[in-house]
Each structure stands twice: as structure tokens, then as C-alpha cells.
Amino acid sequence: MTSDRDYAKLYKLSHHARILSGISSLLNWDQETYMPPGAASIRALQESTLAGIIHEQKSNKKFRSSLAKLIDIPTGTILAKDLSQEKQAALKQWRRDYIKDHALPKKFVTEFAKLSSHSVLAWREAKQTNSFSKFAPFLEKLIDMSRKKADLLGYQEHPYDALLDQYEPEMTTAQTSKIFARLKTDIGVLLKKISSSKQIDDSFLHGSFSHDKQMEFSHLILKDMGYTSEHGRLDLSSHPFSSASHPTDSRITTRIHPTSVMSCISVILHEAGHALYEMGLPQEHYGSPLGDSISLGMHESQSRWWETRIGQSKPFWQHYLPLLKKQFKGKFDHIDLATFYRAINKVEPSLIRVDADEVTYPLHVILRFELELALIEGTLNVKNIPEAWNAKMKALLGIEPTSYANGCLQDIHWSMGAFGYFPTYTLGNIYAAQLFAAFEKKHPDWESRVAAGDLPFITQWLHEAVHRHGRRYTSQEILEHATGKAAAAAPYIAYLQGKYKQIYNYT
Amino acid sequence: MTSDRDYAKLYKLSHHARILSGISSLLNWDQETYMPPGAASIRALQESTLAGIIHEQKSNKKFRSSLAKLIDIPTGTILAKDLSQEKQAALKQWRRDYIKDHALPKKFVTEFAKLSSHSVLAWREAKQTNSFSKFAPFLEKLIDMSRKKADLLGYQEHPYDALLDQYEPEMTTAQTSKIFARLKTDIGVLLKKISSSKQIDDSFLHGSFSHDKQMEFSHLILKDMGYTSEHGRLDLSSHPFSSASHPTDSRITTRIHPTSVMSCISVILHEAGHALYEMGLPQEHYGSPLGDSISLGMHESQSRWWETRIGQSKPFWQHYLPLLKKQFKGKFDHIDLATFYRAINKVEPSLIRVDADEVTYPLHVILRFELELALIEGTLNVKNIPEAWNAKMKALLGIEPTSYANGCLQDIHWSMGAFGYFPTYTLGNIYAAQLFAAFEKKHPDWESRVAAGDLPFITQWLHEAVHRHGRRYTSQEILEHATGKAAAAAPYIAYLQGKYKQIYNYT
């Protein structure tokens, strides 16, 4: 009983800070959607002011002593053993956050933030003027500081573990390396088979598609998925994203390519996957770790699930192709389901990660992961990045960048100091494939249901398997509960092999 | 020098709280524009959490001691006499806010907020079911608490002074009564003359006007006014409003009546008037009283200035009528400027305040002011409001409500406990008229400039006379600086008489 009272006290403090971080999400959403451009400075000040209050509230004596009453912070031993398992799990996550939040001295955090914000500007300039040397000195400092960050955060085997752990808790460099090595080999083989097969013509996916009709079709799909306007909304922004301040306020954005019909559809499936995860988090735990999503990889598993596993599946288009034909009259009159399905799954090595297909995308991520590892280990110098990048592109994808902009300067992430982030994209695919295998077992008739336009049973399954747990279990535990196995490359590879063998019809 | 350092400390604390209240404005804007409806509960919690932090920051010991170093809080004597006049003026306002913020015990504030939120629901129900008795008990309690509030806030002559002072600092009941008495008499005479003249046909202002074309025309006017999309934006909401979180982020909303062309135009002129005031506040003082608007009355003077003095003037339509004809092809082909001008200035007593024309509007406000006074004085009982309301409508406007909904239950304000608020609407007109007389002296050629499509010089004049001062001067001081005179009814009456004699052509 005493422990429950102490838990309630801790929860109240944490809940208060969580409300503020929800407000911060809204500010960020507004910044990317409707904010007048001239308000950028005051918005930055609003964001940093809120961040300061949140940090103070999660670091002050009251918070620490509330936490320390229930769990021994240095060792992680639960002191309040009478608490439910659920609450004990929450305590472990609170402790984890507390330690991470306090591992970095304030001076270090400020310096890193300052360096990043200058680096983003330098990166933009370097990309525009195709001059790697303008960005190199910043990147050098960022890597130095990231190594220092790893030391401060602490790790067992590899400094990269500490960086990866920021985005994908409990995942290790060794485990990721193992998964990625397998992917690299098997996708390499797959890609060769695809390359030597007859290529696909997807030209009919390009043309002129009205903005309003694209938006209308997006709303139709979102509604069918169970992404309700009661708790969500769709807006436009230059880079699509999802942003939730609470399970009852989980928004997404898209952008419209007037000449590509699939661009916006992929985006809304992807972002709604993220948004449904946030909507499905248990409201009653909002403010405790039990009310938060577990990791970026698991988040990406939800978005990629909808984007690729559902949105690039044949049954999905069995239902939606007739609707698409109706929506864009005259555009797809002579296109049958098989042709459409092949076109949206066309594989073609390309230079830009964000434009990559399902098969080649992991290779872009693996390239970045390998370079990051080498940079952190010190076996690669910043000045040699362009050369290393191009060599890896050649080896993995058989093509080479024609500029820094479509080569090593294409992504913003490094300039933001986000080392350890890229792997979560591919871990998301891995998790999704594993979860999907379990889903297929539970719903062997999923294809006929999806072909009939039924989608909510999918959201329901994901809710049971993932959403409702918040951070009660780690990503790995969630996978093990759902599938009986730890994260592994096999299900994803099996999926790719099965699907693309059928599409490209190789032997 | 020491004082400047102490001032800087106080400013820093106040600036921090102001940033948070700016965030609160954004939350409110979002709530009325884009928020998913199901997020209402978390939004309320976000708002109250921020309000709690702001209140704490403006009441804590640090803030009080910083303020008390520079000004004696009980007496208002400036202690830091070496500070600039400007800074001394800021100190007086900070002290004023501090005293007002602390005059009401926390328990009282909470109770009042609770009562108001229940009363709003009761009012809505009462209005819908046309049952005054459902609202009466709430209103009785609200009046009791408002009397108590006046006692707690303190006043010299009349308890209503304390209530009015919340919205219109330094304005007294006596001064307002005097102005309103004069208005009542003179508008009464004017209205009789108008009523016995030939009536105006404004039917061509009604018809079918496309949403998109109305929005396009609105954007055109806003751009001409100097309301830039760099620091502002226009959205839709069910009740139009303006909302600024900073001079660089000052937004407005409108609603589109598909059958009335003037509705949206009036709204955007009105709201942009408010928004330009906020945009024109001195950014360098953001967070000190020098960076805030001075009063609701002065705010309303800005909105009514644009809505009526400019937007219902002949030179304005000399420029815009040809554009309107182009925008709505075929709608106004046979309408000349004189006819259009007469139509948009049609006077007709009506039951609903928000639909009232320029001449009858003040009578609606005076009615409410007189009832509020009687209720606070205790000379009118709540149960007799409907009777008193109807009698006053008959006496002032010659018409009588047919229901509570178009009678004494039409406005939300009383249910929110906002006694002392209504007068600011008409004080706004009074101030605008007085300022306009000064503006005409400075710009005797204003009509030809406006007729040529020039509007920014108006904004510039308002900026010089009002916006740039923030709260350095009271409303009355601003009027005296600009016009040499205290607030008085004469300029407004002279304006109405001159304008409507010409329009209605009476003798």
C-alpha cells in the first residue's frame, strides 16, 4: 500500500513532465505545418524553454527521491517488491531514463546542441555547393563528441552500443552486425537474380494526378485503416512525419507529388502506421513509461508494416485498384491487378535512400551502419568518407554517386549528430517481418479479408501484440512474446525471396 | 547600474513566463482550428498545466523579491529612481499585475473557474431549450462571486470599477456611464431620423459566393493592409478570433457565409486590426509590460477602426468594388459605388448584438452595461432579467426578443463570469473615433490615398500612435498623447451623425 502511494507520487511528477513534452510535440507539428516562417526564432525559444522545464522536473530532488524510494538507482534493484509486475517494469524504465538523462553533463549537452545546429547549416551549404570539405570539419567534431558521448553513456562491448541504445534500447552492435551481415549477403544474391530478370515497366504510375484527388484517396485509406479524425488528422508538410502529443491527438502529414500516384499513398500508409501505434498506447498510463512507445525500431516496424507488407501486397490492391481507377478516371483503364502489383514492387538500385525500393533499402542502411562503425572505431577518417561511400555503393548496389548531394551528403542525420539512428530503419523491417509471420499464423485468411477491404483486424492484432504494452517489454521481449524468437534476419529474407521470386519469375 | 542589473533579472523571470503564455495562445489557436475533437481532455490538461507553471513563476519568492527591489509593492513608490522613464513605467505595470494576481485567493480562483465551466454548460442547455430558469441559479452564484471578486480586487467608488478594470485598466464606472449616457441619447435621436428616412435595399449583398473566391479576396485585402504571411496566417474556425503568441506569430481566423459577401470581409478586417496591433508591439520588450497590449478597449479600437472606419468607408470601396466585381463576376454588374456604400452601411435595429450595424451596436452594449450595473448593485434580481432585457430592447431599439435565445441568453459572456467586459466593445469605437480625428488631421488626404489602394500608411500611423507603446501608457494617456483629449463620446457621435446624415439624406 505504501509503495502504491509512493508510485502514485512518482507517477504524478512524471505525468506533469509528459504533458509538457506533449505540448512540445504540438509546437513541432505546428512548426512544420502552419507556423508563419518569420516565427522561427520565437518557436526555437518556446521549444528550449519547455525542454528546460521538462529537464528540471525530471532531474530535481523530488523526482529523484521519489524514484529512489522504489528502486535502487545505482544497481536497479527493485525496493518496492510489493508493486505489480507492470509497475516494477515501469520503474526499470524510469530508472533507465534517469540514468541516461544524467549521464551527460549539462555543459556537454549544450555544446553538442550548439555544434549540431551549426553543423546542420554547414551540411546544407555543403550539399548545395557540392563541397564535402565545407562539412568535413564539423563532422570530425561531431564524431569526436559522439565518441565522448558513448563513453559518458557507458557500454559493455563497443562504443557504438551506447549510441545505438539511445534509439533502440538493449540492441547491441554485435547483434545488429550479425543481422545486417546476413541481410547483405542474401539481398545481394536476390538483387543479382532480379537484375538478370526481365525488368518491370512502371511508367503508368507516373503522369498527372490532381492534388485534391490524391488527398481524397488518402483520406479513404486512412479511414479504412481505423485512423480516425476523432483523434488524428492529415496535413501537408515538406517532409512527411507523424507527431503525437497523446493517444487522442496523433497527427500525420504528407506531401503531394503531382506526377506520382504512389508517393502519397506510401507516405500515408507509413505515417499512419506510426500514428496508430501512438493512438494504441494505453491512455491510463500516459506519463509513465508504460504509456510510451518502446523504440524507434519498433515504431518503424509499424510504419513499414503498413507501407510495405500491406500497401505493397496484392490483396490490398485487389480491393483498392478498382477504387483507384474510379478516383483517377482514364489513368489505369488497361492495367490489371497483376501488372499494377508488379509495377509498385519494381526493384531498381538507386542513389537516394529515401527513394529506394523494399529490396535495396536495407543496403543503403547497411552502408551507413558500416561507415558509422568505422568512424566511431577510428578506422575511417572523415576525409575518406566520399571514397568509402562510393566504393560501398558500387559493391552493394552496383552504382556510383555523381555528386556529394546524391552520395554521402544526401542525409541530414549525421549533421544532427544522430549516430546510431540509421540501423533502426532496417531493424523496423526485420521486426515487421517477424511479427508478420506470427500474424499470418493467427490470421491465415488475412489475404482474403484484406482483399475484401477489411483492415481494422490488422490494427487490432498489432494493438494486442505491440501497442498496448507501451514500454512494459523491450523490443526483443515483444518479439519473443509474439513470435517465440529473438530478432533475426530470416523471416525478412524469406519474405523478400518468396515475394520477388514470384514477381520477377526467376529460377 | 545596479538597478539596470536588477531590472534585467526581473525581466528574465517575466520573459520566461511570457514565453509560456505565448505557447498557451498557440494551444488555444490549435484547439479552435485543427485539433482533433477527441483531444479536448488532454488539451484542457495541457492548458491548466501551463497556467499552473506560469502562475507559480509570477508568484514565487524570486519574482516578488526581484520586483520589490525596484518598486515598493504596497505603495507603488519607485525605488530604482535611476531607471529610465520607460522602465519605471514597466515597473508600475508589473506591480499592478502582481497585485491583481494575488488579490484573489487560490481557493476563490478555483471555485470561480469551476462555477464558470458549469455555468457555460447550463447556459448552452438553457439557450437550446429556451429555458431561462435553467441558467438563473448559476447566474445568481456568478453575480455573488463577482461582487466578492470586486471586494477582493478593491475599488474606490463602485464595485463595478474593479470588474471593469480587469479588462480596461484605469477606466471607471462613472466615466463609462457618462460616455454611454451621451451615446444613448444621441444615437437615439440619430436612429429616429434614420428610421423615418427611406430605407436601404441591400439584397444584392446576399446570394451565392464561393468559399474559395471569398478566401482569395480576403487574402488580397490582408496583403494590402500589410498583414504579412511572414508573421501571420488566416484559417477557419466556427467563431472568428485573433491569437498572437509573439509579434512574429499573430494569426487570425474567419468563417465563410456562403450567402453573404460582406460577412467574411468584415471579419478579416476586424481580426487583422487586432493582429496588426500584436504584430506592432515592440519585440525588444517581449516579456515586459512594454511588450504587451494595453487594454481590451484599445484592442477593439484597432479592430473596429479597420472594420468600420476603413472597411465601411467610401474610398475603401472606390478601390475594392472593381476588384470585387472581378472576383464575383456577374454579381455586382449594375451596382455603382454609391449604391454599394449605402448597402453596406444599412442601419436596422435587430435582436442579436453580433449582427448589429455600426449605429445600433452601442445600444446593445449599453443595455448589457446597465443590466450588469444593476445586478452588481443588487437593484435587479436575476429572475427579473428577461423582463428588464426586453423592456430595454423596446426602449433603446424599438423591438422585442421572441425567445431567450435572441434575448437575454444570446451571449456566452455572463456564463463565463465576464462581468465588466461588454463595455470594452463600445469603448473601442469611442477610442477609434477619437484617434481617427487625429489621424485625419495628420493625413487630410487619407481618402484619396485609400481610394488609390494605399493602406499601409494607416497601419504606420496606428503603429506610431498606439502599437509601439505596449503598456508604457494607459489607454487614456495614449488618447491624450494622440488627440490631446480624454476619452469622450463626442468624436464618435460626430462621425456617426455626419456619415449617416449623408447616407440617409435626412434633414
Side-chain angles (χ1 to χ4, degrees), chain A residues 6 28 34 53 71 132 148 183 301 350 483 487 492:
Chain A
D6 288 337
N28 191 57
Y34 295 115
I53 298 174
I71 186 169
F132 183 72
K148 206 176 284 173
L183 273 186
S301 79
S350 63
T483 70
Y492 186 51

Side-chain angles (χ1 to χ4, degrees), chain A residues 109-119:
Chain A
V109 173
T110 315
E111 262 176 45
F112 201 101
K114 215 164 145 187
L115 174 60
S116 310
S117 80
H118 291 151
S119 300

Side-chain angles (χ1 to χ4, degrees), chain B residues 252-360:
Chain B
I252 64 172
T253 69
T254 186
R255 47 156 176 52
I256 299 289
H257 275 223
T259 62
S260 158
V261 74
M262 280 305 292
S263 163
C264 174
I265 293 172
S266 297
V267 164
I268 61 117
L269 283 160
H270 183 99
E271 300 305 339
H274 284 303
L276 286 170
Y277 186 3
E278 294 289 328
M279 275 185 184
L281 292 167
Q283 282 185 48
E284 66 276 21
H285 292 303
Y286 185 72
S288 105
L290 301 174
D292 283 338
S293 62
I294 183 66
S295 76
L296 288 192
M298 193 54 78
H299 235 302
E300 191 73 5
S301 79
Q302 302 303 296
S303 56
R304 294 291 280 178
W305 173 295
W306 283 102
E307 180 192 353
T308 63
R309 299 302 304 245
I310 304 299
Q312 289 174 231
S313 76
K314 201 180 265 179
F316 182 84
W317 287 103
Q318 197 172 329
H319 178 72
Y320 285 102
L321 183 57
L323 299 174
L324 193 76
K325 288 183 177 190
K326 230 165 114 184
Q327 185 73 0
F328 299 101
K329 283 205 181 81
K331 295 278 182 194
F332 305 105
D333 284 355
H334 308 293
I335 305 298
D336 62 12
L337 178 60
T339 309
F340 189 84
Y341 173 66
R342 278 167 55 86
I344 63 169
N345 284 294
K346 181 181 177 176
V347 174
E348 190 169 45
S350 62
L351 294 169
I352 303 293
R353 174 183 59 83
V354 297
D355 298 336
D357 56 76
E358 204 181 7
V359 173
T360 56

Side-chain angles (χ1 to χ4, degrees), chain B residues 29 80 129 155 199 252 281 313 333 395 414 429 448:
Chain B
W29 172 86
T129 57
Y155 55 87
Q199 293 308 293
I252 64 172
L281 292 167
S313 76
D333 284 355
W414 286 350
N429 282 325
S448 60

